[in-house]
Amino acid sequence: ISGLERQKQLAQIFSPSTIRFLDEVGDLTGFHALDLGCGIGETTRMLGERIGKSGSVVGVDFDPDLIKSAKSLSDDGNITFAQGDAHSLAFEDGSFDVVYARLLLLHVSEPMIVLKEMLRVCRPQGMVIIHDGDFSTLYTAPDPAGGRGLNKLFSLFRNTRIGTELWHMFRECGYDQVELRVDRMLVREANGKRLTLMTVEAMQEAAIESGLMTRLETETLCKTIGIGVQDDNYLIGYPEMYAAWVKR
């Protein structure tokens, strides 16, 4: 499977959670939205469907290769993509009705700076929505060894538990009314578990090079998850996902 195909499948894995959260946010018809850390544009297209032709969505990602892929996968007239840095956005104050980010703060060097930029480019009475995870909460059952290995591996991310911090981050920016929801998904189907295995395989060299895990540990984790893929009784609990949003 290609890296692009894995990106597509990963994006789809989190789509049910995204849909549930966006349903709670409310009607977005006709809004002008910014999707930060858009990747290959899965969330951008989801927002575009809700906003409709009377609105627009701009997807921004730091990685130009992901932006290239996003453009190739999108043909909606109300969606555009641009390369950019979430720490310093090239938009004027109050440019958007909605500013959204999924699984972005997990990776950035300065999450609070990114949040303040999101708030800056959102118009008064607009909405800033952040959807991120706690990647220390994965588990496997009935054998917990895989979950322990996954949590160790995912500590490679810069801000592993950022989902748990979102409410306080908004409060620190001066917002008293912060909406917060929590969601998680259990994966039993072989394809979903196989995607977890491919993610481990893609990250294992970085884990070894960083000194976080030994090669024996990563190979053991791959073997454990590989066995789970073939076992209909094996569950993988994906990370707790948090959505927090405010009215600007």
Side-chain angles (χ1 to χ4, degrees), residues 36 85-89 104-105 108-121 169 172-173:
L36 273 184
D85 185 351
H87 296 86
S88 180
L89 295 169
L104 170 65
L105 298 192
V108 300
S109 59
E110 298 288 347
M112 184 57 81
I113 290 177
V114 172
L115 173 57
K116 289 179 178 178
E117 276 292 270
M118 294 176 73
L119 291 165
R120 180 184 67 78
V121 301
M169 290 174 67
E172 189 175 330
C173 290

Side-chain angles (χ1 to χ4, degrees), residues 178-206:
V178 184
E179 296 289 342
L180 182 68
R181 303 290 186 273
V182 185
D183 188 73
R184 83 176 307 157
M185 182 176 63
L186 301 178
V187 177
R188 177 186 171 189
E189 295 78 11
N191 283 343
K193 292 186 289 189
R194 192 172 293 111
L195 183 59
T196 303
L197 175 59
M198 289 187 292
T199 300
V200 173
E201 291 171 342
M203 294 178 66
Q204 62 180 341
E205 290 303 321

Side-chain angles (χ1 to χ4, degrees), residues 4 17 35 41 52 54 82 97 115 135 140 149 168 181 186 197 201 209 218 232 234-235:
L4 175 59
S17 177
D35 180 21
S54 59
D97 303 307
L115 173 57
F135 279 76
T140 54
H168 290 95
R181 303 290 186 273
L186 301 178
L197 175 59
E201 291 171 342
E209 289 173 8
T218 61
D232 188 53
Y234 191 84
L235 291 176

Side-chain angles (χ1 to χ4, degrees), residues 25-37:
V25 168
D27 185 17
L28 301 179
T29 303
F31 284 16
H32 299 286
L34 173 64
D35 180 21
L36 273 184

Side-chain angles (χ1 to χ4, degrees), residues 82-229:
Q83 192 274 335
D85 185 351
H87 296 86
S88 180
L89 295 169
F91 301 106
E92 296 182 358
D93 296 0
S95 294
F96 300 95
D97 303 307
V98 175
V99 182
Y100 175 83
R102 183 180 78 176
L103 295 174
L104 170 65
L105 298 192
L106 177 70
H107 301 290
V108 300
S109 59
E110 298 288 347
M112 184 57 81
I113 290 177
V114 172
L115 173 57
K116 289 179 178 178
E117 276 292 270
M118 294 176 73
L119 291 165
R120 180 184 67 78
V121 301
C122 184
R123 68 164 176 80
Q125 301 304 308
M127 286 184 290
V128 173
I129 309 163
I130 300 180
H131 185 191
D132 227 305
D134 179 353
F135 279 76
S136 70
T137 59
L138 286 94
Y139 73 88
T140 54
D143 178 7
R148 289 193 296 266
L150 290 171
N151 288 327
K152 185 172 184 179
L153 178 67
F154 290 139
S155 68
L156 274 174
F157 296 138
R158 278 177 166 157
N159 307 299
T160 307
R161 304 200 64 206
I162 194 68
T164 67
E165 301 172 28
L166 298 177
W167 188 83
H168 290 95
M169 290 174 67
F170 276 117
R171 296 274 292 182
E172 189 175 330
C173 290
Y175 291 86
D176 294 328
Q177 301 298 318
V178 184
E179 296 289 342
L180 182 68
R181 303 290 186 273
V182 185
D183 188 73
R184 83 176 307 157
M185 182 176 63
L186 301 178
V187 177
R188 177 186 171 189
E189 295 78 11
N191 283 343
K193 292 186 289 189
R194 192 172 293 111
L195 183 59
T196 303
L197 175 59
M198 289 187 292
T199 300
V200 173
E201 291 171 342
M203 294 178 66
Q204 62 180 341
E205 290 303 321
I208 294 166
E209 289 173 8
S210 70
L212 177 66
M213 301 176 77
T214 66
R215 186 167 298 279
L216 177 60
E217 285 179 305
T218 61
E219 289 176 350
T220 300
L221 179 57
C222 287
K223 182 178 179 181
T224 300
I225 301 300
I227 292 171
V229 170

